Amino acid sequence: MVKIIVANDYEEMSKKAAAIIAAQVIYKADSILGLATGSSPIGIYDYLTKWYQEGSLDFSQITTVNLDEYRGIEKKNDQSYDYFMHHHFFDRVNVRPEKTFLPNGMAADVEEECARYQKLIDDLGGIDLQLLGIGHNGHIGFNEPGESLEANVHCVSLSEKTIEANKRFFASAEDVPKQAYTMGMRSIMEAKKIVIVANGEGKAEAIAKAFAGKITTKVPASLLQLHPDVTVVVDQAAASLLPSYMQ
C-alpha cells in the first residue's frame, strides 16, 4: 500500500520523513536501517542529528546498510557515498562504526563484492526501514530502467541520464564514475517499511510515473506499488503531476 504525504517545501518534507525514521528507531532500538545518499536525504539526516543532540534519539544499537556506492572510488574521496554518510550522519550521532555498512567501491573482484554485500544484508535478517530517493528516470538505488531488473546486489553501468544528473558533484562528466554497486530489487522490496522522498519540479514526472502510472521495469520505482508499506514524502513541486485524488 502506498501512502503519499505532500509537504509544503523541502524543509517540511525532510522533517516529516525524518519523523517516520525516528519513530522506527524509538519503536525498535536495534532496527536495521537501509540508508540513501544524494541531495534529497540531507535534510532528513540534519533533523535526525538535531533530535539526537537534543537527547530524543539513540542510535547506539542501530545497524545501517547503504543502498549503493560508486565503483572505483576510494572511501576518503569526498564524492564517495561512504564520505557522504560520515559527513552528513555517522560522525554526528552515536551510531557504532562497526555497525555501518556500504559496498566496497575499491573491491578487486566485482562478483565477490556483490555476493559479500548481499550475504551481509541477508544475514542481518533484512531491512526494517529503507530510505529511498528517486532518479529523474525513475531509478531507485542504481537500478536503472530496462527490460528486466536484477534481484540481488549487483554492479551496474550507469545510464547517460544518471551520469548527467551526477555531473554537478564532479569537476566534469569524465570524472563521474561510470559504474556503481547497488542493492537489487529483492533487497529493497523485502524491507518491512519503505520511505521514499523527492523534491522539486524536476522529480514530478518520475513521481507521477512511479505511483500513478503502470508498474513496469522501465520505471523501477513503480514496483514499489506492490509493496505493503510504502510512504512517499514529497514537496508540492514534486507532487504537481500526481492526480488530484493522490495529493
Side-chain angles (χ1 to χ4, degrees), residues 11 69 155:
E11 190 72 18
E69 176 63 282
C155 184

Side-chain angles (χ1 to χ4, degrees), residues 27-211:
Y27 170 73
K28 186 183 179 193
D30 61 349
S31 288
I32 312 297
L33 300 181
L35 300 181
T37 54
S39 55
S40 296
I42 290 175
I44 296 170
Y45 296 133
D46 285 343
Y47 270 107
L48 293 175
T49 298
K50 176 177 180 286
W51 295 334
Y52 159 73
Q53 291 173 344
E54 291 173 350
S56 301
L57 288 176
D58 175 16
F59 295 97
S60 63
Q61 297 181 57
I62 293 299
T63 299
T64 71
V65 285
N66 263 71
L67 267 174
D68 40 30
E69 176 63 282
Y70 288 124
R71 182 181 175 221
I73 195 166
E74 295 184 345
K75 290 182 178 183
K76 64 182 180 181
N77 186 305
D78 64 4
Q79 293 305 320
S80 77
Y81 290 161
D82 189 282
Y83 184 98
F84 176 101
M85 291 306 306
H86 280 275
H87 179 72
H88 289 289
F89 190 51
F90 295 159
D91 292 348
R92 303 167 72 195
V93 299
N94 65 335
V95 64
R96 291 160 59 186
E98 68 272 18
K99 300 189 81 171
T100 62
F101 299 100
L102 292 93
N104 176 12
M106 296 301 292
D109 188 312
V110 171
E111 290 187 10
E112 188 176 282
E113 176 58 16
C114 290
R116 180 197 72 82
Y117 201 63
Q118 183 62 58
K119 184 176 187 298
L120 182 146
I121 295 167
D122 291 341
D123 287 351
L124 286 171
I127 295 162
D128 290 304
L129 184 152
Q130 176 67 58
L131 175 63
L132 298 172
I134 185 171
H136 292 89
N137 61 1
H139 75 239
I140 46 177
F142 278 121
N143 293 283
E144 300 282 3
E147 295 301 323
S148 62
L149 296 171
E150 294 280 348
N152 297 324
V153 174
H154 57 288
C155 184
V156 63
S157 294
L158 306 183
S159 72
E160 288 302 319
K161 198 166 186 178
T162 298
I163 291 171
E164 182 66 26
N166 291 342
K167 188 172 68 174
R168 67 188 188 277
F169 300 118
F170 293 84
S172 70
E174 288 68 38
D175 294 327
V176 182
K178 304 304 187 288
Q179 291 185 310
Y181 291 101
T182 184
M183 285 186 198
M185 293 303 297
R186 176 174 74 88
S187 300
I188 293 171
M189 293 295 288
E190 285 182 351
K192 297 179 181 70
K193 178 189 287 289
I194 293 174
V195 176
I196 182 166
V197 295
N199 63 286
E201 291 180 10
K203 296 293 179 72
E205 184 177 357
I207 287 293
K209 286 183 176 178
F211 299 105

